[in-house]
Amino acid sequence: MNCENLLFYVQGELDESALRAFEAHLKTCARCQKDLLFVRRADQALAAPAAPGALVDKLFAKTTRKQSFWVRYKTVWLGFVAAAVVGVLFIPHPDKTPTLNAEVLAYLSENLDADYQTFASDLAEFENEF
Amino acid sequence: MDANLTGKSDDELMVLFQNGVQEAFEEVVLRYKNGLYQYILSLVKDDGAAGDLFQEVFLALFTHAADFRAEGKLKSWLFQTARNKVLHFWRDSKTPLSLDETDEEGNAFWHETLAEDSPALLDVLQTQELGEKIRQAADKLPPRQREVIFLRQYMSFKEMSEFLHRPIGTVLADCHRGLQKMKVLLSQGDVL
């Protein structure tokens, strides 16, 4: 009957009297000695390996270390703000951008010359009358 | 991690967490992460699924911490929740698993039906690959025995009896049969 107590013995669940009885039995039972060896080797082999660290980090990120929506996307918001600032300051405004397009410049110059000549002619006529 | 937390009981940690000490919850996770992950993995045999279920268990604890009553049963709650989630997992999968299956008739003393203690088996015990062979043998057990073999790492037989709602003699017999089968598998070389 003492062989039945092997697993209770390994688990430390025998009361004092049963423990003494089993230890006395163990000294004389070769089969229990081998079985005990196997159970202890099995316990070593089956000892829980560490849970993946990334798994625990992910859990904490969802629970105790969860960041607010704004904090989590702080980089994104800052990026948007920076892009908006750059856009206001540096994106060319059509009315103020000095054009380097030679063709357009020449066209405008032609019109300007033509407009100037018309103006100069009108001015001369006006001055002659007065 | 606060060193003071490591010496606190499960109930004390949960009370602290209920009062806003976030580190207390983290201590609970660190205390049970390895055993719980191994238990789940032993039943689902899939790293990804085990990871998801592992998180679900602790997320449930985190979410419902306010309802937790300090009655010394946190470990039982964690493993029971894990077990329920595993059962739901298998119920939704294509290959249902029953944790009540067993293929053993059972004998009173497991070593009476063991393969003969041949020198070959004892030689196997000396090899460095023994640990891996033992783990593989445990993985080949029927779910009911496999569960008990792994739970034995974290619970007493009395606790297992309450956890599984089975008589303690039944739990003991399942464990006996599981270890017997592992020895047979090892002696026959039926593990890779």
Side-chain angles (χ1 to χ4, degrees), chain B residues 148-160:
Chain B
V148 172
I149 291 292
F150 279 98
L151 277 176
R152 198 176 65 79
Q153 309 301 317
Y154 327 110
M155 294 184 184
S156 65
F157 281 102
K158 185 171 180 297
E159 287 175 329
M160 275 194 278

Side-chain angles (χ1 to χ4, degrees), chain B residues 40-190:
Chain B
I40 296 171
L41 186 61
S42 74
L43 293 175
V44 301
K45 295 188 176 181
D46 179 272
D47 290 340
D52 290 341
L53 296 175
F54 170 89
Q55 290 198 62
E56 286 182 27
V57 171
F58 282 112
L59 282 171
L61 180 65
F62 182 83
T63 305
H64 301 291
D67 301 327
F68 186 84
R69 287 178 292 183
E71 295 174 342
K73 296 187 176 178
L74 177 62
K75 180 170 74 172
S76 179
W77 186 93
L78 287 170
F79 279 89
Q80 188 63 62
T81 302
R83 192 171 198 271
N84 291 339
K85 291 195 178 291
V86 167
L87 286 171
H88 279 105
F89 169 79
W90 282 113
R91 193 173 301 155
D92 295 339
S93 80
K94 293 179 181 177
T95 51
L97 171 80
S98 170
L99 290 174
D100 291 322
E101 286 176 5
T102 178
D103 62 354
E104 298 290 340
E105 292 294 331
N107 290 290
F109 301 108
W110 58 289
H111 58 248
E112 289 183 354
T113 57
L114 284 172
E116 191 174 336
D117 285 337
S118 65
L121 175 58
L122 295 179
D123 287 342
V124 166
L125 293 175
Q126 304 302 322
T127 64
Q128 292 183 356
E129 296 85 21
L130 173 64
E132 184 56 31
K133 290 183 190 296
I134 288 176
R135 283 188 289 276
Q136 289 168 2
D139 280 343
K140 283 178 176 283
L141 293 175
R144 179 183 170 120
Q145 294 168 12
R146 189 166 74 238
E147 181 180 29
V148 172
I149 291 292
F150 279 98
L151 277 176
R152 198 176 65 79
Q153 309 301 317
Y154 327 110
M155 294 184 184
S156 65
F157 281 102
K158 185 171 180 297
E159 287 175 329
M160 275 194 278
S161 172
E162 293 169 357
F163 174 72
L164 295 170
H165 304 291
R166 292 178 203 154
I168 195 169
T170 304
V171 177
L172 188 65
D174 286 333
C175 189
H176 279 158
R177 290 172 198 150
L179 289 167
Q180 172 192 0
K181 191 171 178 75
M182 284 170 64
K183 287 192 74 172
V184 170
L185 289 169
L186 286 169
S187 66
Q188 293 173 348
D190 284 343

Side-chain angles (χ1 to χ4, degrees), chain A residues 95-113:
Chain A
D95 292 337
K96 298 179 182 175
T97 303
T99 178
L100 298 177
N101 191 314
E103 183 179 354
V104 175
L105 184 60
Y107 166 73
L108 291 178
S109 298
E110 286 175 5
N111 284 346
L112 279 174
D113 288 343

Side-chain angles (χ1 to χ4, degrees), chain A residues 7-90:
Chain A
L7 287 176
F8 285 122
Y9 171 73
V10 174
Q11 296 291 97
E13 293 184 57
L14 293 177
D15 60 33
E16 199 173 326
S17 63
L19 177 63
R20 281 200 299 268
F22 184 79
E23 284 177 337
H25 166 77
L26 195 58
K27 289 177 183 174
T28 59
C29 181
R31 193 174 286 274
C32 277
Q33 289 169 11
K34 289 179 182 175
D35 293 341
L36 180 61
L37 175 65
F38 177 76
V39 171
R40 286 189 167 149
R41 292 288 177 89
D43 286 348
Q44 286 176 357
L46 297 176
L55 190 61
V56 177
D57 290 341
K58 198 172 167 184
L59 173 66
F60 287 163
K62 292 180 182 179
T63 54
T64 54
R65 301 176 193 177
K66 186 176 181 181
Q67 293 177 324
S68 69
F69 180 78
W70 300 105
V71 172
R72 198 184 325 151
Y73 293 102
K74 178 173 62 178
T75 308
V76 175
W77 300 126
L78 287 174
F80 275 129
V81 169
V85 168
V86 167
V88 167
L89 292 179
F90 297 108

